[in-house]
Amino acid sequence: MKKHIRRKLKSSQNMDGASDYKQIKDKTIEILHEVASIDMKDLDYTAPWYELDAESYELVEFIVALRDEFEVSITTRDLIKMKNLKDIIEYIYKIKKIG
């Protein structure tokens, strides 16, 4: 397993607006790159998971890292519904905005 050193977002602040969405998107992509070493320049946020060319254990590590970074709980039921990276970013944004 790789060690990851990241600065956490200020999760105590309420999320509002496009800049917060961008902050979540950028951090999510950074985590994905760290965990799975995926080339970000050709990343399609709406592509299905299998097109990311990541191993299944890397995707699990990615979800755990997201949970730790954003201090959110992603249920298995919700995770199954998420078909791509865009879905996860929107899910986290929604939770942080409500919380």
Side-chain angles (χ1 to χ4, degrees):
M1 288 228 170
K2 300 176 188 177
K3 279 192 168 183
H4 304 288
I5 301 173
R6 294 185 295 276
R7 280 189 1 220
K8 286 194 174 191
L9 291 173
K10 296 176 185 172
S11 56
S12 61
Q13 295 179 344
N14 286 338
M15 305 303 284
D16 60 336
S19 64
D20 294 319
Y21 183 87
K22 183 177 178 345
Q23 191 177 21
I24 289 171
K25 178 181 173 183
D26 291 347
K27 193 60 168 175
T28 300
I29 291 167
E30 177 185 327
I31 293 168
L32 180 61
H33 179 67
E34 288 176 5
V35 171
S37 300
I38 293 172
D39 186 9
M40 297 294 121
K41 66 182 176 194
D42 297 325
L43 183 64
D44 177 1
Y45 303 101
T46 61
W49 291 116
Y50 65 86
E51 288 185 13
L52 288 181
D53 197 30
E55 300 294 329
S56 58
Y57 74 89
E58 292 173 323
L59 292 176
V60 170
E61 190 175 343
F62 171 61
I63 297 302
V64 170
L66 289 176
R67 182 198 65 202
D68 295 345
E69 176 68 34
F70 295 109
E71 298 174 349
V72 297
S73 176
I74 302 173
T75 66
T76 303
R77 178 179 290 158
D78 289 337
L79 188 57
I80 290 169
K81 295 175 189 174
M82 297 178 207
K83 303 298 181 196
N84 52 46
L85 188 57
K86 182 180 179 218
D87 290 347
I88 282 196
I89 293 167
E90 289 175 356
Y91 179 87
I92 293 170
Y93 177 73
K94 182 179 175 183
I95 288 174
K96 297 306 279 184
K97 188 175 181 182
I98 292 171

